[in-house]
Amino acid sequence: QVQLVESGGGSVQPGGSLTLSCVASRSIFNFNTMGWYRQAPGKQREVVANFATGGGNTNIADAVKERFSISRDNAKNTVYLQMNSLKHEDTDVYYCNAETHGLSPKYDRSYWGQGTLVIVSS
């Protein structure tokens, strides 16, 4: 079973920074895409940033595009989300995501971490 383990969440004041880490139990090249989503109570889970593991442009949500960045360390099977200039509205549970897409839909798989809580408050 694939496992995605997130860490790095916590409480921070507005304007502060946090770095989230997602460690996968397998090489990130086992997946077609990896990234981060977030979800606030009563709201739908939304993509924050993701990328194709084989290369190509990354996708970052407009709401955080100028403040967040995503990176990876292939040797450590780890994906990072660097969050700067945090705002109150960034308060959410953040989830690591990995996707595989086969030539047949029956081989498609989605994997999720358990989530790490980020609270931005004065």
Side-chain angles (χ1 to χ4, degrees):
Q1 181 68 41
V2 170
Q3 291 184 320
L4 304 174
V5 181
E6 303 114 327
S7 62
S11 297
V12 64
Q13 292 184 330
S17 298
L18 286 173
T19 301
L20 305 184
S21 299
C22 171
V23 181
S25 59
R26 303 284 180 83
S27 169
I28 67 172
F29 296 110
N30 288 351
F31 315 109
N32 293 105
T33 63
M34 292 192 71
W36 291 90
Y37 289 68
R38 66 185 183 182
Q39 186 172 25
K43 301 199 69 176
Q44 187 173 335
R45 189 173 298 185
E46 62 183 22
V47 64
V48 178
N50 58 13
F51 62 92
T53 62
N57 295 329
T58 62
N59 173 56
I60 304 178
D62 289 342
V64 301
K65 191 172 185 177
E66 301 302 317
R67 300 183 293 116
F68 292 9
S69 62
I70 190 167
S71 62
R72 63 180 177 180
D73 187 329
N74 295 332
K76 296 182 178 180
N77 299 346
T78 302
V79 176
Y80 304 96
L81 182 68
Q82 178 65 47
M83 305 185 294
N84 300 317
S85 301
L86 283 161
K87 304 175 180 179
H88 178 267
E89 52 263 43
D90 296 319
T91 296
D92 285 307
V93 177
Y94 286 72
Y95 296 90
C96 185
N97 168 258
E99 305 277 347
T100 61
H101 303 111
L103 295 176
S104 172
K106 71 177 182 179
Y107 296 112
D108 291 352
R109 299 287 187 273
S110 296
Y111 305 97
W112 295 94
Q114 66 181 15
T116 184
L117 178 63
V118 172
I119 300 175
V120 185
S121 176
S122 299

